[in-house]
Amino acid sequence: FSTQTPAPDLLAPAAGAELSTLEPVLRWTRVPYASGYALQLSADSVFTRLVAQSATGDTAYIPAGLTHATPYWWRVRAQFPGSQVSGWSAARRFTTPPAAPAAPVLVQPAQNAEQVPVAPLFRWQATVGASTYRLEIAADSGFTELAADPIDAITSTRYALPAENALNYMAVYHWRVRGISERGVDGEWSSAGRFTTTEQAPERPVLVRPEAGTDDLGTPAVLSWTRAARAAAYELDVATDAGFEF
């Protein structure tokens, strides 16, 4: 008489899995006394369009040459000494990820822009396949000295840096953006942008003379104020109304 040898059980990926890589690790259980395993990978559920056939002594296999956004079916059987084989395992299906989003095109700030606010508005063009974007701002062109933590999960093609995260004045910065697909696949980084932030505005002067409410200034009238930090010159307005219209 003969006995049916047990087939391996497939472990990973899970049945119906939607993958984030084109090189998944296919794993199955070890069968007692098996000398090896045969694997089939197919583009159809009846295994007439085989993509790969492999014989291995291991319980894992990494296929190569898979295409994006494509369903595949796979199965494994055990091999024993004397050419005996088990039945095929139950087949499983997985789907490869869509192609990674293309690199976005940066729009604002323009390349090598100067006098950029320290809390800039960043804008870029939408890229096919991206559901969110990641923005990085750095003090160096290699993006090893990030000015802030990477900004993730941006759902539009613009991002206004909050005032509490403002950049330094009169500093050079580099920035880049990448798209991320709905299934978490990172796209290519954009070409890096470069800009220089504006200088810090002078402090507000404090009026000293004449004191508020003075009626008789004398002639000539002497107006004075405190020196303001970072001021190179001063602009004086004198009017006959509080709205400075006359």
Side-chain angles (χ1 to χ4, degrees):
F1 64 95
S2 63
T3 59
Q4 180 67 42
T5 54
D9 291 322
L10 305 187
L11 297 177
E18 295 187 348
L19 305 184
S20 60
T21 176
L22 287 180
E23 297 182 339
V25 180
L26 310 181
R27 298 184 184 277
W28 56 90
T29 59
R30 188 175 298 278
V31 175
Y33 311 113
S35 59
Y37 302 90
L39 176 142
Q40 289 185 337
L41 180 66
S42 175
D44 68 342
S45 61
V46 292
F47 291 86
T48 60
R49 297 164 55 200
L50 293 180
V51 175
Q53 293 191 88
S54 178
T56 176
D58 200 357
T59 56
Y61 175 77
I62 300 176
L66 303 184
T67 56
H68 289 285
T70 302
Y72 292 96
W73 287 259
W74 65 292
R75 62 186 181 180
V76 178
R77 70 181 177 186
Q79 298 172 325
F80 299 89
S83 300
Q84 186 179 8
V85 295
S86 73
W88 287 107
S89 66
R92 277 191 181 179
R93 177 183 58 83
F94 63 81
T95 304
T96 52
V105 176
L106 304 185
V107 175
Q108 179 186 348
Q111 185 72 323
N112 296 318
E114 298 182 349
Q115 299 296 317
V116 174
V118 292
L121 171 65
F122 297 95
R123 294 195 302 118
W124 54 91
Q125 293 180 6
T127 185
V128 175
S131 61
T132 62
Y133 296 90
R134 177 180 297 129
L135 166 66
E136 286 188 352
I137 309 165
D140 68 311
S141 59
F143 290 86
T144 61
E145 302 176 25
L146 295 181
D149 291 336
I151 304 160
D152 291 314
I154 304 171
T155 56
S156 69
T157 55
R158 60 174 57 209
Y159 180 80
L161 192 68
E164 58 268 24
N165 296 332
L167 306 174
N168 293 327
Y169 290 98
M170 290 295 290
V172 175
Y173 288 97
H174 305 262
W175 67 293
R176 62 184 182 179
V177 177
R178 78 187 325 169
I180 302 172
S181 75
E182 187 175 359
R183 286 163 61 179
V185 178
D186 289 341
E188 295 294 321
W189 285 110
S190 66
S191 299
R194 180 183 181 277
F195 63 90
T196 304
T197 53
T198 186
E199 62 180 324
Q200 190 173 3
E203 291 183 352
R204 179 181 298 179
V206 177
L207 303 184
V208 175
R209 182 180 178 189
E211 295 182 357
T214 300
D215 291 328
D216 186 6
L217 297 183
T219 304
V222 177
L223 309 179
S224 64
W225 52 89
T226 60
R227 187 176 299 277
R230 299 180 298 279
Y234 298 90
E235 179 179 343
L236 174 66
D237 276 355
V238 179
T240 58
D241 69 308
F244 286 85
E245 296 181 359
F246 303 99

